Amino acid sequence: MGHFPSSASVQSLLHFAQSTRDHDFALYKYPTEKENLAKYGQKDPPMIFVNNIKVPTAMFVGDVDDLGDPTDTRWCRDTIKSGGNGALVHYEEIHGGHASFIVGKDMTY
């Protein structure tokens, strides 16, 4: 657990980097246009419109998370709310990092 980002896949890290680089929120962009066409039926991956979320959503976020930092999670919270779908049912910030939600409070075992 001492090695960030722990067990994240290379593809998930590349997807995160793509979003950071492109300043957008889209599905994973495959290395070739041919792969994107096969997967999505278009040369670029589809955008993810957070304000269109209709599923009841609870967000539990860490205030010292290196990946989902409070600035980004607050943007996501506000964008889901702006959709007017009533999808955001709970938002809570805790003092913790990215792995805080998968590690037990007592790890003495």
Side-chain angles (χ1 to χ4, degrees):
M1 291 307 296
H3 301 287
F4 181 81
S6 193
S7 61
S9 70
V10 171
Q11 184 171 328
S12 70
L13 294 175
L14 289 172
H15 186 217
F16 181 79
Q18 290 171 356
S19 294
T20 303
R21 177 196 66 209
D22 299 339
H23 301 286
D24 65 13
F25 196 42
L27 295 180
Y28 176 74
K29 185 174 187 172
Y30 288 90
T32 68
E33 191 174 292
K34 184 178 178 181
E35 289 173 285
N36 288 311
L37 282 167
K39 182 70 175 178
Y40 306 123
Q42 56 193 51
K43 66 178 186 164
D44 292 312
M47 296 297 295
I48 300 168
F49 296 102
V50 179
N51 59 327
N52 288 341
I53 292 175
K54 295 180 176 82
V55 177
T57 304
M59 295 178 67
F60 298 86
V61 302
D63 63 353
V64 290
D65 190 331
D66 292 327
L67 292 176
D69 65 84
T71 300
D72 293 338
T73 58
R74 290 173 190 150
W75 170 86
C76 190
R77 172 199 64 197
D78 295 344
T79 304
I80 292 172
K81 279 180 163 181
S82 74
N85 298 317
L88 188 67
V89 296
H90 183 79
Y91 179 88
E92 183 176 341
E93 289 184 19
I94 65 150
H95 181 62
H98 197 71
S100 296
F101 302 98
I102 60 170
V103 178
K105 186 174 182 180
D106 180 1
M107 297 290 287
T108 59
Y109 62 89

